[in-house]
Amino acid sequence: MINRSDLENFWTRGDIHTRIHKAMSEAGLNNKKLEIEDLFPIDQYHARGIAATVDLGKRMPISENQRIIDIGCGLGGPARYFAKQFKCLITGIDITPSFIEIGNKFNNLTSMSKKVSLQIGNSETLNFEDEAFDGGYSQHVTMNIKNRKDFFLEAYRVLKKGTFFAFSEHGLGPKGNPIFPLPWADTSEMSFLLSPESTISLLKEIGFYDIQIIETSEKYISGYEKMIDNKSKKDKPILGIHVIGGATMKERSINSMKSIKEKRTLPFEIVCKK
Ligand SMILES: C[S@@+](CC[C@H](N)C(=O)[O-])C[C@H]1O[C@@H](n2cnc3c(N)ncnc32)[C@H](O)[C@@H]1O
């Protein structure tokens, strides 16, 4: 099993604080008040960036002032976007301490601290009362969760009855054997993919109902193609997912794209009810 410091290093790829400071400085974003949109190129730590977050948001029934949980919030980019879009309050938890530290700094810089609060936490044991939230979501986290049943049980526990849970992930495709390293795992030691069918039956077993699934392979393939093309250009953007994902981000993204094309993996979004 991977230990805590290897896990932190997997996600941060060395000195993430300095990389972000340098990139923001080159992009002219340091020492000024920011809009949440300024950070989209680096704070949406998943394939397809803000476009994937916007898509998931369109499927989430969130009302003003509701309390929503983000499980595996990363740097809090999706949380800031949803908090602004829906005028709701978001609590994010993530296992990577540096992401939480940077995410809360980003909340301050974008004047979102009253709407979004991020804390260190593990999806296996959520540090909240039963039925504390009016909805919840998790973007591209479940691929790393070995005990998927406990993950969904905890999500279920902290949601009020009648509310929603939404998530997106790379599921296991019919051919299996994804190509490593991938954006979420350098080796199979960190990757725990389930087929969409197994995920749906697990959700049903736990008590979730009205399970709506959308397969997103084509969108992800074209998203990866666009990103890989951008990175090959001479004048590649200063801000981008590479600032967070480090030097191997391009190789890992190519492997993820190939894995989808070869049906080894199968990305999807699910929205269901408790
Ligand atoms: C691909 S990133 C996605 C981050 C964020 N959801 C986003 O879309 O920008 C996956 C995140 O899951 C977090 N994570 C992995 N295992 C976790 C666990 N057991 N509990 C909480 N967070 C976890 C990682 O630290 C990382 O921030």
Side-chain angles (χ1 to χ4, degrees):
M1 210 177 98
I2 190 158
N3 66 38
R4 274 295 161 109
S5 93
D6 287 346
L7 190 63
E8 168 85 8
N9 200 43
F10 172 83
W11 288 111
T12 56
R13 308 267 149 183
D15 186 356
I16 191 173
H17 298 270
T18 302
R19 286 201 312 278
I20 290 184
H21 184 82
K22 186 168 172 282
M24 285 180 64
S25 172
E26 284 168 10
L29 294 182
N30 275 342
N31 307 317
K32 66 182 233 192
K33 186 181 155 347
L34 300 177
E35 300 299 328
I36 65 160
E37 290 78 6
D38 294 325
L39 296 171
F40 286 170
I42 51 169
D43 71 5
Q44 310 285 322
Y45 195 24
H46 51 256
R48 294 183 59 235
I50 186 65
T53 304
V54 169
D55 278 358
L56 194 65
K58 285 183 186 151
R59 304 187 59 211
M60 297 200 295
I62 305 179
S63 306
E64 227 172 292
N65 295 323
Q66 281 189 327
R67 261 195 93 196
I68 306 295
I69 184 166
D70 179 338
I71 304 176
C73 60
L75 300 149
R80 281 182 292 277
Y81 170 76
F82 295 134
K84 184 174 172 188
Q85 179 74 9
F86 295 108
K87 300 189 175 60
C88 61
L89 304 169
I90 303 206
T91 303
I93 69 105
D94 198 284
I95 207 163
T96 305
S98 297
F99 282 0
I100 294 299
E101 195 186 326
I102 295 163
N104 280 322
K105 267 190 208 154
F106 284 172
N107 287 343
N108 279 332
L109 289 169
T110 54
S111 312
M112 290 298 284
S113 298
K114 289 200 175 121
K115 294 273 183 193
V116 178
S117 136
L118 310 178
Q119 48 191 269
I120 298 169
N122 190 333
S123 63
E124 278 175 29
T125 44
L126 296 176
N127 204 10
F128 303 102
E129 306 268 295
D130 294 357
E131 307 204 357
F133 294 96
D134 303 301
Y137 67 91
S138 183
Q139 266 201 106
H140 290 264
V141 178
T142 32
M143 298 89 76
N144 291 113
I145 309 298
K146 187 173 183 184
N147 192 340
R148 203 67 67 80
K149 188 167 179 183
D150 280 357
F151 178 95
F152 289 134
L153 276 170
E154 274 297 86
Y156 190 86
R157 182 183 66 76
V158 300
L159 294 175
K160 292 179 190 162
K161 283 207 179 85
T163 62
F164 75 93
F165 187 59
F167 62 100
S168 51
E169 67 170 50
H170 294 263
L172 190 65
K175 294 268 164 65
N177 287 324
I179 306 162
F180 291 98
L182 283 159
W184 63 90
D186 282 338
T187 65
S188 60
E189 215 191 347
M190 259 186 86
S191 180
F192 308 100
L193 306 188
L194 286 185
S195 68
E197 297 76 20
S198 306
T199 299
I200 290 172
S201 55
L202 194 52
L203 290 168
K204 282 185 184 160
E205 188 188 321
I206 286 162
F208 286 107
Y209 69 100
D210 199 4
I211 299 163
Q212 309 288 335
I213 182 162
I214 295 183
E215 203 229 291
T216 49
S217 295
E218 288 311 316
K219 281 185 178 179
Y220 276 82
I221 290 170
S222 57
Y224 278 126
E225 276 170 351
K226 209 163 113 196
M227 174 194 150
I228 291 157
D229 185 46
N230 254 344
K231 281 178 157 297
S232 311
K233 286 185 186 143
K234 221 171 119 223
D235 295 323
K236 48 185 175 223
I238 299 164
L239 295 181
I241 203 163
H242 58 278
V243 176
I244 314 299
T248 61
M249 198 67 224
K250 184 173 170 183
E251 179 198 0
R252 292 188 284 142
S253 301
I254 291 172
N255 286 345
S256 187
M257 180 180 70
K258 276 193 194 154
S259 295
I260 302 171
K261 283 186 176 172
E262 294 172 14
K263 304 211 178 302
R264 296 164 184 268
T265 59
L266 192 156
F268 61 84
E269 285 172 15
I270 281 186
V271 181
C272 54
K273 282 191 190 145
K274 172 179 175 179

